[in-house]
Amino acid sequence: MAFVSVGQKYGFVSAGDVFRQKLAEAEKNGEEKAAKARSEGHADTIDVFASLGVSPEKIAKAKAKLDAISNK
């Protein structure tokens, strides 16, 4: 038997339902952006990481490392 939330059981939207819906939408949007970038043959590092929910500080560190590697 599948999990039934309180909101589903009693016919109202619970905070957990809203949270799970937002997570699902964010994941879907991130996957769509990454797939689009791959299909176009290029991907902006910042956009891809941001769509996956990576913090700006970690994005900056990763970009700096990638730039250092590509300049060698």
Side-chain angles (χ1 to χ4, degrees):
M1 185 169 147
F3 173 78
V4 178
S5 71
V6 173
Q8 292 168 331
K9 185 174 181 179
Y10 295 110
F12 63 89
V13 179
S14 69
D17 291 336
V18 172
F19 180 71
R20 285 187 287 279
Q21 181 65 32
K22 286 183 180 180
L23 284 178
E25 289 173 3
E27 184 175 324
K28 181 181 175 190
N29 289 339
E31 290 172 359
E32 288 173 354
K33 284 184 180 180
K36 181 179 176 186
R38 282 192 300 271
S39 70
E40 292 175 354
H42 68 285
D44 184 15
T45 306
I46 295 172
D47 289 340
V48 173
F49 282 141
S51 70
L52 296 173
V54 178
S55 71
E57 294 82 18
K58 288 184 179 180
I59 293 172
K61 286 181 183 178
K63 187 157 177 45
K65 286 181 181 180
L66 288 170
D67 289 343
I69 291 170
S70 65
N71 290 335
K72 285 185 177 181

